[in-house]
Coordinates of all heavy atoms in Angstrom, one line a residue:
S42 N 108.8 -68.2 -10.0 CA 107.5 -68.5 -9.3 C 106.3 -68.5 -10.3 O 105.3 -69.2 -10.1 CB 107.3 -67.6 -8.2 OG 108.2 -67.7 -7.2
F43 N 106.4 -67.7 -11.4 CA 105.2 -67.4 -12.2 C 105.4 -67.8 -13.7 O 106.5 -67.7 -14.2 CB 104.8 -66.0 -12.1 CG 104.5 -65.5 -10.7 CD1 105.4 -64.9 -9.9 CD2 103.2 -65.8 -10.2 CE1 105.1 -64.5 -8.6 CE2 102.9 -65.4 -8.9 CZ 103.8 -64.7 -8.1
D44 N 104.3 -68.3 -14.3 CA 104.4 -68.6 -15.7 C 104.1 -67.4 -16.6 O 104.2 -67.6 -17.8 CB 103.3 -69.7 -16.0 CG 103.4 -70.9 -15.1 OD1 104.6 -71.5 -15.1 OD2 102.5 -71.4 -14.5
G45 N 103.8 -66.3 -16.0 CA 103.5 -65.1 -16.8 C 103.1 -64.0 -15.9 O 102.8 -64.2 -14.8
C46 N 103.0 -62.8 -16.5 CA 102.6 -61.6 -15.8 C 101.8 -60.7 -16.6 O 102.1 -60.5 -17.8 CB 103.9 -60.9 -15.2 SG 103.6 -59.3 -14.5
I47 N 100.8 -60.1 -16.1 CA 100.1 -59.0 -16.7 C 100.0 -57.8 -15.8 O 100.2 -57.9 -14.6 CB 98.6 -59.4 -17.2 CG1 97.7 -59.6 -16.0 CG2 98.6 -60.6 -18.1 CD1 96.2 -59.6 -16.3
S48 N 99.8 -56.6 -16.4 CA 99.6 -55.4 -15.6 C 98.8 -54.5 -16.4 O 99.0 -54.3 -17.6 CB 101.0 -54.8 -15.3 OG 100.8 -53.5 -14.6
I49 N 97.8 -53.9 -15.8 CA 96.9 -52.9 -16.5 C 97.0 -51.6 -15.9 O 96.7 -51.4 -14.7 CB 95.4 -53.4 -16.4 CG1 95.3 -54.9 -16.9 CG2 94.5 -52.5 -17.2 CD1 95.7 -55.1 -18.4
S50 N 97.5 -50.6 -16.7 CA 97.5 -49.2 -16.3 C 98.3 -48.9 -15.0 O 97.8 -48.1 -14.2 CB 96.1 -48.7 -16.2 OG 95.3 -49.0 -17.3
A51 N 99.4 -49.5 -14.9 CA 100.1 -49.3 -13.6 C 101.6 -48.9 -13.8 O 102.1 -48.0 -13.0 CB 100.1 -50.6 -12.8
V52 N 102.3 -49.4 -14.8 CA 103.8 -49.1 -14.8 C 104.1 -47.7 -15.0 O 105.2 -47.2 -14.5 CB 104.3 -50.0 -16.0 CG1 105.8 -49.7 -16.2 CG2 104.1 -51.4 -15.8
Q53 N 103.3 -46.9 -15.6 CA 103.7 -45.5 -15.8 C 103.8 -44.7 -14.5 O 104.4 -43.6 -14.4 CB 102.7 -44.8 -16.7 CG 101.3 -44.5 -16.1 CD 100.3 -45.7 -16.4 OE1 100.7 -46.7 -16.9 NE2 99.1 -45.5 -15.9
W54 N 103.2 -45.2 -13.4 CA 103.3 -44.6 -12.1 C 104.8 -44.5 -11.6 O 105.1 -43.7 -10.8 CB 102.4 -45.3 -11.1 CG 101.0 -45.0 -11.2 CD1 100.1 -45.7 -12.0 CD2 100.2 -44.0 -10.6 NE1 98.8 -45.1 -11.9 CE2 98.9 -44.1 -11.0 CE3 100.6 -43.0 -9.7 CZ2 97.9 -43.2 -10.6 CZ3 99.6 -42.1 -9.2 CH2 98.3 -42.2 -9.7
L55 N 105.6 -45.5 -12.1 CA 107.0 -45.5 -11.6 C 107.8 -44.4 -12.2 O 109.0 -44.2 -11.8 CB 107.6 -46.9 -12.0 CG 107.0 -48.1 -11.3 CD1 107.7 -49.3 -11.7 CD2 107.2 -47.9 -9.7
C56 N 107.3 -43.7 -13.2 CA 108.0 -42.6 -13.9 C 108.0 -41.3 -13.2 O 108.5 -40.3 -13.6 CB 107.5 -42.4 -15.3 SG 107.8 -43.9 -16.4
N57 N 107.2 -41.2 -12.1 CA 107.1 -40.0 -11.3 C 107.7 -40.1 -9.9 O 107.6 -41.2 -9.3 CB 105.6 -39.6 -11.2 CG 105.0 -39.3 -12.5 OD1 105.1 -38.2 -13.0 ND2 104.3 -40.3 -13.1
A58 N 108.4 -39.1 -9.5 CA 109.0 -39.1 -8.2 C 108.1 -38.3 -7.2 O 107.9 -37.1 -7.3 CB 110.4 -38.4 -8.2
N59 N 107.6 -39.1 -6.2 CA 106.7 -38.5 -5.2 C 107.4 -38.0 -4.0 O 106.8 -37.4 -3.1 CB 105.6 -39.5 -4.9 CG 104.7 -39.8 -6.0 OD1 104.1 -38.9 -6.6 ND2 104.6 -41.1 -6.4
K60 N 108.7 -38.3 -3.9 CA 109.6 -37.8 -2.8 C 111.0 -37.8 -3.3 O 111.3 -38.3 -4.4 CB 109.4 -38.8 -1.6 CG 109.6 -40.2 -1.9 CD 109.3 -41.1 -0.6 CE 109.4 -42.5 -0.9 NZ 109.0 -43.4 0.2
K61 N 111.8 -37.1 -2.5 CA 113.2 -36.8 -3.0 C 114.0 -38.1 -3.3 O 114.9 -38.1 -4.1 CB 113.9 -35.9 -2.0 CG 113.4 -34.5 -1.9 CD 114.2 -33.7 -1.0 CE 113.8 -32.2 -1.0 NZ 114.6 -31.4 0.0
S62 N 113.7 -39.1 -2.5 CA 114.5 -40.4 -2.6 C 114.0 -41.2 -3.8 O 114.7 -42.2 -4.2 CB 114.3 -41.2 -1.3 OG 112.9 -41.5 -1.1
D63 N 112.9 -40.8 -4.5 CA 112.4 -41.6 -5.6 C 113.2 -41.2 -6.9 O 113.1 -40.0 -7.3 CB 110.9 -41.3 -5.9 CG 110.1 -42.1 -4.8 OD1 110.6 -42.9 -4.1 OD2 108.9 -41.8 -4.8
I64 N 113.9 -42.1 -7.5 CA 114.6 -41.9 -8.8 C 113.9 -42.9 -9.8 O 114.1 -44.1 -9.7 CB 116.1 -42.2 -8.6 CG1 116.7 -41.3 -7.6 CG2 116.8 -42.0 -10.0 CD1 118.1 -41.6 -7.3
P65 N 113.1 -42.3 -10.7 CA 112.3 -43.2 -11.6 C 113.1 -44.3 -12.3 O 112.7 -45.4 -12.3 CB 111.8 -42.2 -12.6 CG 111.6 -40.9 -11.8 CD 112.8 -40.9 -10.9
A66 N 114.3 -44.0 -12.8 CA 115.1 -45.0 -13.5 C 115.5 -46.1 -12.6 O 115.4 -47.3 -13.0 CB 116.4 -44.3 -14.1
K67 N 115.9 -45.8 -11.4 CA 116.3 -46.9 -10.4 C 115.1 -47.7 -10.0 O 115.2 -48.9 -9.8 CB 116.9 -46.2 -9.2 CG 118.3 -45.7 -9.5 CD 119.0 -45.2 -8.2 CE 120.4 -44.8 -8.5 NZ 121.1 -44.3 -7.2
R68 N 113.9 -47.0 -9.8 CA 112.7 -47.8 -9.4 C 112.2 -48.7 -10.5 O 111.8 -49.8 -10.3 CB 111.6 -46.8 -9.0 CG 111.8 -46.2 -7.6 CD 110.9 -45.1 -7.2 NE 109.5 -45.5 -7.3 CZ 108.8 -46.2 -6.4 NH1 109.4 -46.6 -5.3 NH2 107.5 -46.5 -6.5
L69 N 112.3 -48.2 -11.7 CA 112.0 -49.0 -12.9 C 112.9 -50.2 -13.0 O 112.4 -51.4 -13.3 CB 112.0 -48.2 -14.2 CG 110.8 -47.3 -14.4 CD1 111.1 -46.3 -15.5 CD2 109.6 -48.1 -14.8
Y70 N 114.2 -50.0 -12.8 CA 115.1 -51.1 -13.0 C 114.9 -52.1 -11.9 O 115.0 -53.4 -12.1 CB 116.6 -50.6 -12.9 CG 117.6 -51.7 -13.0 CD1 117.8 -52.4 -14.2 CD2 118.3 -52.2 -11.9 CE1 118.7 -53.5 -14.3 CE2 119.2 -53.2 -11.9 CZ 119.4 -53.8 -13.2 OH 120.3 -54.9 -13.2
C71 N 114.7 -51.7 -10.6 CA 114.4 -52.6 -9.5 C 113.2 -53.4 -9.8 O 113.1 -54.6 -9.6 CB 114.2 -51.8 -8.2 SG 113.9 -52.8 -6.8
F72 N 112.1 -52.8 -10.4 CA 110.9 -53.5 -10.7 C 111.2 -54.6 -11.8 O 110.8 -55.7 -11.6 CB 109.9 -52.5 -11.2 CG 108.7 -53.1 -11.9 CD1 107.9 -54.0 -11.3 CD2 108.5 -52.8 -13.3 CE1 106.8 -54.6 -12.0 CE2 107.5 -53.4 -14.0 CZ 106.6 -54.3 -13.4
F73 N 111.8 -54.1 -12.9 CA 112.0 -55.1 -14.0 C 113.0 -56.2 -13.7 O 112.8 -57.3 -14.1 CB 112.5 -54.3 -15.3 CG 111.4 -53.6 -16.0 CD1 111.4 -52.2 -16.1 CD2 110.3 -54.2 -16.5 CE1 110.4 -51.5 -16.8 CE2 109.2 -53.6 -17.1 CZ 109.3 -52.2 -17.3
S74 N 114.0 -55.9 -12.9 CA 115.0 -56.9 -12.6 C 114.4 -58.0 -11.7 O 114.6 -59.2 -11.9 CB 116.2 -56.3 -12.0 OG 115.9 -55.6 -10.8
S75 N 113.5 -57.6 -10.7 CA 112.9 -58.5 -9.9 C 111.8 -59.3 -10.6 O 111.6 -60.5 -10.4 CB 112.3 -57.8 -8.7 OG 111.3 -56.8 -9.0
L76 N 111.1 -58.6 -11.6 CA 110.1 -59.3 -12.4 C 110.8 -60.4 -13.2 O 110.2 -61.5 -13.4 CB 109.4 -58.3 -13.3 CG 108.3 -58.8 -14.2 CD1 107.2 -59.6 -13.5 CD2 107.8 -57.7 -15.1
Y77 N 111.9 -60.0 -13.8 CA 112.6 -61.0 -14.6 C 113.0 -62.2 -13.8 O 112.9 -63.4 -14.3 CB 113.9 -60.4 -15.2 CG 114.7 -61.2 -16.2 CD1 114.4 -61.2 -17.5 CD2 115.7 -62.1 -15.7 CE1 115.1 -62.0 -18.4 CE2 116.4 -62.9 -16.6 CZ 116.1 -62.8 -17.9 OH 116.8 -63.6 -18.8
S78 N 113.3 -62.0 -12.5 CA 113.7 -63.1 -11.7 C 112.5 -64.0 -11.3 O 112.7 -65.3 -11.3 CB 114.3 -62.6 -10.4 OG 114.6 -63.6 -9.4
V79 N 111.4 -63.5 -11.1 CA 110.3 -64.3 -10.6 C 109.5 -65.1 -11.7 O 108.7 -65.9 -11.4 CB 109.2 -63.4 -9.8 CG1 109.9 -62.8 -8.6 CG2 108.5 -62.4 -10.7
L80 N 109.9 -64.8 -13.0 CA 109.3 -65.5 -14.1 C 110.1 -66.7 -14.4 O 111.3 -66.7 -14.4 CB 109.2 -64.6 -15.3 CG 108.2 -63.4 -15.2 CD1 108.3 -62.5 -16.5 CD2 106.8 -63.8 -15.0

């Protein structure tokens, strides 16, 4: 869908677990794999 992507001061938020179900590595992979797809 997209020709490129930018992000300012946001990605580091995925490295913190705010609830028991949050696993940073899995959330990061979900983010990056979907980002790879939409580009």
